[in-house]
Amino acid sequence: MNKFFPNKTALYALLSSCFVVCATMGVRQTFGLYSSEFEISGGSSNTEFGLAVAVHAIFWGIFTPIFGRLSDKLGGYVVIIPALIFYSISMFLMGNNFISGIWLQVNLGLFVGIGLAGAAGTILTPMVSNHFPNENRSKAAGIVTACGGLGMFIFPILASIFKNISSWQMSFILFSIILILMVIPGFFVKLPETQISTTNSNIDQRSLKDVLKESFAHKGFRLLVLGFFVCGFQITLIATHVPRYVQDIGLADWTGMAILALIGFFNIIGTLIMGYLGDKYSKKILLSGLYFLRGITLILFIFLPASNLSAVLFGTSFGLLWLATVPATNGIVAQIFGTKNLTLLFGIVFLNHQFGSFLGAYLGGYFYDKFGSFDYAWYLAIVLSFIATALHLPIDERPIQKSQATT
């Protein structure tokens, strides 16, 4: 059996990415906890807050394939470092009360979107995957994604502590400092020493136009793009609006923070399990099963009587399913098309994820202000779960040369 790390460059890339993703994904997991503060201090409505999160989702999605193309050619640090600087600036400005009107859309929207596009797990996961052969790729992706879950567990707790001992503004200042410090490990995410060989490596030498034409001609790629839309809708709806939702249904104030933290913690377990299973079993079947379980979990949470226990169980169960989609989705793209353009291609899949995120964040706020509840957003999330379950089943996971040779 080959050793897990092919070389030191792979080791440094994995460890560095784990630190960066822990911070970037962790900070993002806290935003839903501040919707009330933004309303009181900045006069922002739930719709405006949801729109800002939706805007950063779209910019996150748009810039990810662009940054992915740059990182595939020049190395991850080329995009990670400027992205972290933008992300840090946005936190600093919001910590100084730049949260009203257009400032909210620029800081929580544009700047956070650029920061996540270049330094979140969605781009660092394929960056790291480039360093590993197929038999270890899902496990490496699972480790990076799990570290994002660790940040999602730690940072909501830190946010609550910072707010209690100082102010919500100080939380953002401290987040700004943490993010700028991540520039140091970010510098060590370089290109692989040697390109990992794959059965379909000949397609890696083609132009960007040919790579895109090849990918969108593949039915499985199109289905994967559509399915990932659902993931974006669900996780952004929950992360943005569940703290307000649990308050409205009469649960204790701590339950919103607890759900987000539990999602982060159990996301670690879920992504590691999916990373392990993805190297052994059909990734499309794993994804179909995951979306089906998401639908069941949402049904139980919304329709069973509300209680603090049900909130804790929801955070635990949905956490297991949270970003477990990423190792398998990333793995299918690499398995079909090879690794040289992996960051670009996964970025394209992720762009549609962010269209889903936009609608999850915005419609949650819009429905709340329009109808006084989040119910219609939850119903939509449940229906989409079962649509995604069906979408993944017809995907052909075979490397593209092999599938073409048999058709």
Side-chain angles (χ1 to χ4, degrees), residues 190-358:
K190 306 291 182 67
L191 287 174
E193 289 184 7
T194 56
Q195 183 63 37
I196 301 297
S197 61
T198 62
T199 57
N200 46 357
S201 59
N202 67 309
I203 68 169
D204 292 339
Q205 306 305 319
R206 291 180 289 178
S207 68
L208 173 62
K209 179 181 178 182
D210 287 339
V211 170
L212 295 178
K213 182 179 178 182
E214 184 79 51
S215 61
F216 279 103
H218 193 281
K219 178 183 176 182
F221 185 79
R222 297 196 302 270
L223 291 172
L224 207 60
V225 168
L226 291 173
F228 220 33
F229 172 94
V230 177
C231 181
F233 183 94
Q234 292 174 334
I235 67 173
T236 308
L237 171 67
I238 292 168
T240 306
H241 298 297
V242 83
R244 177 66 67 92
Y245 173 75
V246 294
Q247 288 179 352
D248 286 354
I249 60 177
L251 300 186
D253 290 342
W254 57 266
T255 54
M257 180 275 292
I259 288 174
L260 296 182
L262 287 167
I263 283 173
F265 179 79
F266 284 95
N267 176 62
I268 301 170
I269 299 171
T271 51
L272 290 175
I273 291 173
M274 184 63 84
Y276 175 80
L277 295 176
D279 287 332
K280 291 184 173 293
Y281 303 105
S282 168
K283 298 174 181 66
K284 70 175 184 179
I285 299 300
L286 292 171
L287 284 170
S288 289
L290 186 151
Y291 283 109
F292 179 80
L293 291 174
R294 279 190 179 188
I296 299 301
T297 302
L298 284 168
I299 288 172
L300 294 175
F301 180 55
I302 300 305
F303 292 105
L304 288 180
S307 68
N308 293 336
L309 177 60
S310 69
V312 169
L313 292 175
F314 173 73
T316 301
S317 56
F318 215 93
L320 291 169
L321 309 169
W322 189 253
L323 293 180
T325 55
V326 174
T329 302
N330 179 72
I332 290 177
V333 176
Q335 193 167 300
I336 295 172
F337 298 104
T339 61
K340 189 172 183 181
N341 296 299
L342 177 59
T343 316
L344 167 70
L345 292 178
F346 184 72
I348 292 169
V349 177
F350 179 68
L351 175 58
N352 207 45
H353 179 283
Q354 293 309 92
F355 287 126
S357 294
F358 180 95

Side-chain angles (χ1 to χ4, degrees), residues 168-189:
W168 70 264
Q169 290 93 339
M170 183 54 63
S171 301
F172 281 92
I173 299 297
L174 293 172
F175 291 160
S176 175
I177 294 170
I178 292 170
L179 288 167
I180 203 66
L181 289 174
M182 289 301 106
V183 167
I184 298 170
F187 180 76
F188 291 93
V189 184

